[in-house]
Amino acid sequence: WDIAAASCVCNWTVARAATDLTLSPVTPPQLATAHEDGHVSIWDVRAAPHESIKGALSLDSTTGLPLNSAQAPHRRLVSKVAWCPEDAARIASVGHDGLLCILDPRSPKMPLQSIQVGKGMPCPNKLLCLAWLTRNTLAVGGSDGKVHRVSVERAKAAVEEMPA
């Protein structure tokens, strides 16, 4: 979207409704999207560098967005996806199935970790938001109104409720 001209610069059609997106912290630029059917998709952004803004891309009608990979780590809607700012090989996603999943964009077959936060099935706590605090720690919020600190440092994740 061009704010000054109030017009669309480029758009991409995707097969599934996207609920969130995050940009890779490194180049070449990649984009991860969350979807209503439990999928997380990784896209390669094919665009030229911006002429005057360092680190920015010049998007126009010729910009490509080929699908790199898609995986389905969740059984319900994925509400949030976030690339780790300290590690480009880690993407976190949370969904309405109550799972926090740690994904590696280089290995799309299955999540590195899948962590139940709060109540499990058949009526899970819907996870709605997340933020990376460190390379191995995230804050996760859900429909129960609680925020949890989750450590993904070891094979067995540690989940603790954060004080209000």
Side-chain angles (χ1 to χ4, degrees), residues 38-91:
H39 280 81
V40 173
S41 300
I42 310 294
W43 309 84
D44 288 324
V45 181
R46 305 294 169 116
H50 195 276
E51 295 172 1
S52 60
I53 303 172
K54 185 178 171 145
L57 299 173
S58 182
L59 301 177
D60 60 25
S61 61
T62 64
T63 303
L65 190 72
L67 179 65
N68 186 12
S69 67
Q71 54 184 296
H74 296 274
R75 294 183 296 269
R76 295 186 181 171
L77 179 139
V78 182
S79 50
K80 181 75 176 159
V81 63
W83 224 296
C84 179
E86 298 176 31
D87 186 351
R90 285 182 166 204
I91 300 171

Side-chain angles (χ1 to χ4, degrees), residues 75-138:
R75 294 183 296 269
R76 295 186 181 171
L77 179 139
V78 182
S79 50
K80 181 75 176 159
V81 63
W83 224 296
C84 179
E86 298 176 31
D87 186 351
R90 285 182 166 204
I91 300 171
S93 64
V94 293
H96 285 196
D97 55 3
L99 293 176
L100 162 64
C101 295
I102 306 300
L103 314 169
D104 184 338
R106 303 166 301 179
S107 178
K109 296 287 183 207
M110 60 190 294
L112 297 174
Q113 287 180 289
S114 189
I115 304 142
Q116 186 71 49
V117 179
K119 237 176 17 171
M121 291 295 196
C123 296
N125 175 40
K126 293 178 182 175
L127 299 181
L128 305 172
C129 57
L130 70 91
W132 287 95
L133 302 175
T134 68
R135 183 183 182 280
N136 295 311
T137 310
L138 297 102

Side-chain angles (χ1 to χ4, degrees), residues 112-113 115 151-158:
L112 297 174
Q113 287 180 289
I115 304 142
S151 173
V152 294
E153 197 166 9
R154 298 175 187 83
K156 177 87 171 116

